[in-house]
Amino acid sequence: MHIETKCIQSGYEPKSGEPRVLPIYQSTTYKYDSSEDLGALFDLKLDGHMYTRISNPTVAAVEAKLSDLEGGVGALCTSSGQAANFIALTNIAKAGDNFVSLASIYGGTVNLFAVTMKKLGIEVRFVTPDMSDEEIEARFDDRTRALFGETIANPALTVLDIERFAGLAHRKGVPLMVDNTFATPVLCRPFEFGADIVIHSTTKYLDGHAQTVGGVIIDSGNFDWEKGGKYPELTTPDDSYHGVVYTRDFGKAAYITKARVQMMRDLGMTPAPMNAYIMNLGTETLALRMERHSENALKVAQMLKNHPKVSFVSYPMLEGDSEYALAKKYLKGASGVIAFGLKDGRAAATKFMDSLKLAKIVVHVADARTCVLHPASTTHRQLTDEQLRDAGVLPELVRLSVGIENVEDIIDDVAQALANA
Ligand SMILES: *Cc1c(COP(=O)(O)O)cnc(C)c1O
């Protein structure tokens, strides 16, 4: 089936007489006919729900849909995008290990990688796309466990050359993990270009209405964890489950099964069934929304590009943009997010934001409602000047998240605010 159909139909298939719409299973607990059944569940010999920290029928239906949208073998929903990235990496990296990441990524992820994971003994090594393959490969060693990047980087709006970085990762025997938050599976499916693990902050377009914080990890099932012997936690017995060996017992779903039954069991970064339900309502209209977000944003970007007060506009699908060739190769649209700068610098950027009427100042992107943010003074204020530059964030940069309202109303609002700035 096509992606528009999957957004609506995947993940939940009611039997005769059951609710047509996915129910909210607001239950922590499940009932068993015998203690033997429950014992088999605990040994991972039987499929089923044990406890909502680990799985829940509402959440499971949403996971099945998201996995289907990306073309994976399984998914794990988490309480936030931060939790998804943390579990995705710590599922295969421990103290003493390291991983390589593109520097141009979300500010919260930079903090998670460079501050908190460092304290846990897991080292991040940042690279930039202008480095040669040899320079990037030199950042890997025998303790490197993954390569990480974002399809459309937040907020720099650089586009990941997925085939190039998948090639690099695989030559080094590690998986490529791609945070596909801004593109969504409607605009790009990274597995089709060689990525192994996909992560989303579902808080953004998958929800799409600024209502629930959440995340998801999706496993392509394509990475060979046995080759090279780098992932003993997947290929040797797990004592916390009577000697389960994930690759032997779960095959292509080894990684995502371990993420759930070990990491989620122990860390408890669980989404609420109610939140999964609300997020799923948003996902039903994802294909429609991404088309309109992308169409509207391209028109706003073209208007900004021709405006005398604007110093630069970044929008990957804008002809002449540094990312245009990569965008054409990997994306069906470039989402609603635009970054631009004002010639008169930081003060003019602030005046512009304060003059907007329809677009509201928020700490969010990827909402049906047009909204705006100044990264240097908000989401990225913890970063040093050098980290800001590496993340592609200038002090005068404004991030505009174009919604799905009528584009003429959005353009009128931006024009009057620019006139004021
Ligand atoms: C927002 C965001 C995150 C963090 O997700 P939360 O749901 O806010 O925890 C991670 N990656 C990207 C690209 C994001 O935009």
Side-chain angles (χ1 to χ4, degrees):
M1 281 190 291
H2 294 84
I3 193 123
E4 295 83 352
T5 312
K6 289 181 177 181
C7 283
I8 307 275
Q9 298 279 355
S10 283
Y12 177 64
E13 191 69 62
K15 299 192 188 76
S16 186
E18 287 185 352
R20 177 64 194 98
V21 173
L22 173 66
I24 304 173
Y25 287 91
Q26 196 66 40
S27 181
T28 59
T29 338
Y30 307 89
K31 172 257 170 197
Y32 311 94
D33 286 344
S34 71
S35 25
E36 205 175 314
D37 283 0
L38 184 56
L41 264 179
F42 266 90
D43 281 347
L44 304 180
K45 296 209 166 91
L46 208 68
D47 249 2
H49 303 286
M50 265 187 268
Y51 186 51
T52 286
R53 170 157 28 85
I54 300 164
S55 69
N56 168 280
T58 306
V59 179
V62 179
E63 288 167 340
K65 176 185 284 188
L66 298 179
S67 178
D68 197 27
L69 290 178
E70 287 286 6
V73 295
L76 174 67
C77 281
T78 59
S79 52
S80 68
Q82 290 296 103
N85 278 329
F86 183 70
I87 291 180
L89 282 156
T90 51
N91 196 34
I92 50 168
K94 57 183 172 299
D97 291 341
N98 64 73
F99 63 100
V100 176
S101 173
L102 273 293
S104 178
I105 53 173
Y106 174 64
T109 309
V110 173
N111 283 329
L112 170 67
F113 288 178
V115 180
T116 297
M117 287 180 67
K118 185 178 170 195
K119 286 186 198 160
L120 301 176
I122 302 169
E123 183 202 351
V124 62
R125 299 174 175 181
F126 287 116
V127 295
T128 54
D130 57 328
M131 291 165 69
S132 69
D133 284 7
E134 294 68 33
E135 286 173 306
I136 293 171
E137 284 181 35
R139 306 292 284 139
F140 288 72
D141 60 25
D142 61 351
R143 296 297 298 268
T144 306
R145 293 292 179 260
L147 176 57
F148 182 96
E150 294 178 357
T151 313
I152 305 176
N154 174 9
L157 304 185
T158 46
V159 177
L160 186 69
D161 189 344
I162 303 171
E163 285 179 351
R164 177 187 177 209
F165 283 93
L168 274 162
H170 297 159
R171 277 201 294 285
K172 290 294 176 183
V174 306
L176 176 65
M177 293 186 175
V178 174
D179 182 332
N180 198 32
T181 297
F182 274 13
T184 83
V186 171
L187 303 179
C188 177
R189 285 184 292 281
F191 295 157
E192 293 173 1
F193 302 102
D196 302 288
I197 307 292
V198 158
I199 303 113
H200 288 271
S201 163
T202 63
T203 316
K204 314 294 164 51
Y205 285 118
L206 290 175
D207 174 292
H209 301 76
Q211 292 179 337
T212 59
V213 173
V216 67
I217 306 167
I218 302 155
D219 185 355
S220 70
N222 293 333
F223 191 78
D224 185 350
W225 303 102
E226 285 171 332
K227 194 172 136 198
K230 278 192 167 189
Y231 302 96
E233 48 280 272
L234 285 160
T235 60
T236 61
D238 179 352
D239 293 337
S240 73
Y241 278 111
H242 299 253
V244 154
V245 177
Y246 295 102
T247 45
R248 182 194 67 199
D249 300 344
F250 299 99
K252 280 185 170 300
Y255 170 92
I256 202 70
T257 302
K258 178 179 177 292
R260 176 187 307 283
V261 302
Q262 190 192 68
M263 302 308 286
M264 190 58 98
R265 176 197 64 186
D266 294 354
L267 296 171
M269 298 158 163
T270 311
M274 172 79 107
N275 278 9
Y277 172 88
I278 293 170
M279 190 262 280
N280 183 54
L281 282 183
T283 303
E284 290 186 356
T285 57
L286 182 69
L288 270 179
R289 286 186 288 107
M290 292 319 291
E291 203 179 299
R292 177 65 74 87
H293 277 296
S294 301
E295 208 179 278
N296 280 359
L298 181 58
K299 287 182 186 153
V300 174
Q302 282 161 344
M303 172 264 188
L304 286 169
K305 194 183 177 184
N306 295 322
H307 199 284
K309 288 192 178 175
V310 172
S311 56
F312 69 88
V313 183
S314 294
Y315 186 68
M317 277 293 179
L318 191 62
E319 228 168 303
D321 191 90
S322 63
E323 307 304 302
Y324 187 68
L326 288 171
K328 280 282 173 195
K329 175 169 179 184
Y330 291 110
L331 306 175
K332 293 191 175 70
S335 88
V337 188
I338 300 173
F340 68 98
L342 288 164
K343 279 185 186 147
D344 291 334
R346 194 180 191 128
T350 308
K351 186 84 187 58
F352 165 79
M353 304 223 328
D354 292 346
S355 305
L356 288 164
K357 295 192 172 94
L358 176 73
K360 301 288 191 280
I361 300 175
V362 299
V363 183
H364 192 54
V365 277
D367 187 1
R369 288 154 278 249
T370 298
C371 54
V372 70
L373 176 81
H374 185 217
S377 62
T378 55
T379 51
H380 285 62
R381 68 185 291 139
Q382 318 299 346
L383 303 195
T384 65
D385 281 359
E386 197 189 348
Q387 285 175 322
L388 272 181
R389 262 195 308 279
D390 282 346
V393 184
L394 296 169
E396 71 271 26
L397 182 138
V398 173
R399 190 181 63 184
L400 184 67
S401 173
V402 177
I404 58 174
E405 303 95 338
N406 186 296
V407 71
E408 284 174 29
D409 294 334
I410 302 168
I411 287 177
D412 284 351
D413 191 35
V414 170
Q416 66 81 22
L418 280 172
N420 246 332

